[in-house]
Amino acid sequence: MNLSPLDEYPIHQTPAPLTWPATSDRNFYDRSYFNVLDRDGRFMALTGIGYYPRLGVKDAYFVVRRGDTQTAVHLSDAIDDDRLHQNVNGYRLDVVEPLQELHLTLAETEGISADLTWRGLFPATLEQPHDMLTERRVTLQACRFAQVGTWQGWIDVDGERLTVDHDTSVASRDRSWGIRPVGEPEPAGRPDAAFRGMWWLYLPLAFDDFQLFLILQEDPDGHRSLYDCTRRWRDGRVEQLDGVRATIHYAPGTRIPRGAHISFMNRAGDRIELDIESKLFAPIAFGSGYGGDSSWAHGTWKEGPFAERVSFDLTDPAVMARAPFSLIDHIGAAVCTEADGQVREGAGLFEHGVLGPHYPSGFSDWTDVAE
């Protein structure tokens, strides 16, 4: 066990140095996720940095979709003990003002670089705990906070400069830590119950006077194993929304949505309608290291400092055949209609995925697609 600069501060939660997790589970992780969403749908980026103390690894990724190409760089290295200066090779994340302003830079790596400053539009919000279990172990046990905001700066891909500013961008981010599958595959042991599938919808959206967060996770039969829907007003009010009904509009022959209609009620019983339109999408399993990504997995040991670039042609049927096995992030244009007829326009992340069967959606197996 090593000391770190954080051990100077009275913030310990266990009788061990700060860099030593309370659990010995190899799958403990601590990481950030960000997206950069151009409101007009010209491009989008997904990026993040993670630390995996029990695996001895830290890594980062930067994914850009523009046109029909999705390009990613992966960076990895041995973990260090200084969490105050988050970096992986040329990737760096600096906290300028906690929970409000961050500075993210990527030195030129395999033709991609970036210099971006994050500004929160509303206060960061702690989400509901997220837990998933098998018969014999915890597979996911995470604490997460989220925030909607904007970026100022630029992204450069092979000399093409993509300008990002607070007026033309919208974004969401999350910080999460806990347990989830990371690193190389573990020995199987006695077979556990097979993963049956999951339907997922995540909407962190920004409007002029409120932010809206909706999280839904359903089993194949439609049972909701995770649900949270709140609207947080600029004046500080927090409004829980109930009675959520979601209709996803899939492109025929796919599981990729073109949009969605969400209906819910406030505590007074007034019905609120939300319509989402996808302006551009990026399957997160194409280069970001999340589940289903065949190119790379978070926490994988790469024998020291490492960087690589991968690209995906989203017009290639063989590539897109893997999209149903991924969550898909969209630039979402949103229209919220109140019961009194008032209409508000907003934007943000529209994240959806159907992994396996989902009988309420008409998907009876892993290969079904929308008609």
Side-chain angles (χ1 to χ4, degrees):
M1 291 189 290
N2 295 321
L3 292 174
S4 80
L6 284 168
D7 287 306
E8 287 281 15
Y9 299 90
I11 54 177
H12 295 80
Q13 302 296 309
T14 65
L18 254 298
T19 56
W20 191 263
T23 175
S24 61
D25 194 313
R26 72 182 293 280
N27 289 321
F28 181 82
Y29 78 102
D30 198 343
R31 68 174 176 234
S32 296
Y33 159 88
F34 303 93
N35 51 57
V36 184
L37 310 176
D38 179 73
R39 288 178 180 265
D40 291 331
R42 296 178 299 129
F43 64 88
M44 62 186 295
L46 314 174
T47 186
I49 182 171
Y51 286 76
Y52 312 93
R54 296 304 183 195
L55 300 178
V57 174
K58 62 179 180 177
D59 55 33
Y61 62 92
F62 201 100
V63 180
V64 183
R65 176 176 179 179
R66 69 203 199 289
D68 293 321
T69 302
Q70 188 161 315
T71 303
V73 290
H74 306 147
L75 306 100
S76 179
D77 201 355
I79 201 168
D80 61 80
D81 295 313
D82 185 1
R83 304 296 196 271
L84 288 173
H85 300 95
Q86 302 174 64
N87 69 92
V88 183
N89 306 335
Y91 188 107
R92 185 178 182 93
L93 179 64
D94 292 305
V95 178
V96 179
E97 180 183 347
L99 306 179
Q100 178 58 33
E101 186 174 334
L102 306 169
H103 186 210
L104 188 158
T105 55
L106 174 63
E108 191 280 321
T109 304
E110 303 289 330
I112 299 179
S113 56
D115 190 317
L116 296 161
T117 298
W118 161 277
R119 181 185 300 158
L121 289 172
F122 294 88
T125 301
L126 189 65
E127 296 180 354
Q128 294 289 332
H130 195 179
D131 300 286
M132 295 179 69
L133 311 173
T134 67
E135 292 178 342
R136 287 185 290 278
R137 66 178 299 179
V138 172
T139 57
L140 192 152
Q141 187 176 58
C143 180
R144 186 167 77 171
F145 70 76
Q147 189 176 32
V148 293
T150 60
W151 293 98
Q152 184 79 33
W154 52 265
I155 301 167
D156 194 288
V157 182
D158 298 329
E160 178 188 355
R161 180 65 58 96
L162 305 173
T163 301
V164 184
D165 62 51
H166 294 304
D167 294 329
T168 62
S169 73
V170 66
S172 65
R173 73 175 183 112
D174 68 60
R175 277 281 294 116
S176 68
W177 57 94
I179 296 168
R180 68 188 302 161
V182 293
E184 293 80 2
E186 298 181 68
R190 176 187 163 197
D192 206 339
F195 175 62
R196 297 173 54 230
M198 180 184 76
W199 183 98
W200 172 265
L201 178 63
Y202 180 47
L203 293 172
L205 301 172
F207 295 82
D208 286 343
D209 47 3
F210 64 82
Q211 61 179 342
L212 189 147
F213 284 96
L214 170 63
I215 304 174
L216 282 178
Q217 179 177 306
E218 295 185 359
D219 297 336
D221 60 4
H223 171 74
R224 290 179 176 173
S225 53
L226 180 65
Y227 167 78
D228 188 13
C229 187
T230 54
R231 178 158 58 169
R232 297 174 182 270
W233 294 84
R234 195 169 292 283
D235 62 11
R237 287 178 293 143
V238 178
E239 181 181 20
Q240 183 175 0
L241 302 173
D242 299 304
V244 174
R245 294 292 179 266
T247 301
I248 308 298
H249 308 310
Y250 297 100
T254 77
R255 293 189 179 192
I256 300 175
R258 296 176 299 188
H261 177 77
I262 319 294
S263 178
F264 36 71
M265 294 185 301
N266 61 21
R267 284 301 179 91
D270 299 322
R271 182 61 62 176
I272 302 168
E273 309 294 336
L274 179 68
D275 290 286
I276 308 291
E277 177 191 0
S278 171
K279 307 290 284 186
L280 188 69
F281 69 85
I284 67 173
F286 292 2
S288 71
Y290 286 91
D293 189 346
S294 61
S295 68
W296 179 64
H298 296 147
T300 303
W301 174 233
K302 293 293 187 177
E303 307 297 332
F306 171 84
E308 69 175 1
R309 174 172 171 169
V310 296
S311 293
F312 304 85
D313 178 359
L314 302 187
T315 66
D316 184 342
V319 172
M320 293 308 295
R322 292 164 40 203
F325 304 98
S326 170
L327 299 183
I328 299 177
D329 285 359
H330 301 251
I331 302 172
V335 177
C336 184
T337 305
E338 307 287 340
D340 62 4
Q342 184 176 6
V343 176
R344 294 180 173 90
E345 295 185 357
L349 177 67
F350 167 29
E351 183 177 83
H352 179 62
V354 191
L355 312 182
H358 186 250
Y359 306 116
S361 298
F363 301 134
S364 59
D365 60 30
W366 286 81
T367 59
D368 277 352
V369 293
E371 297 182 353

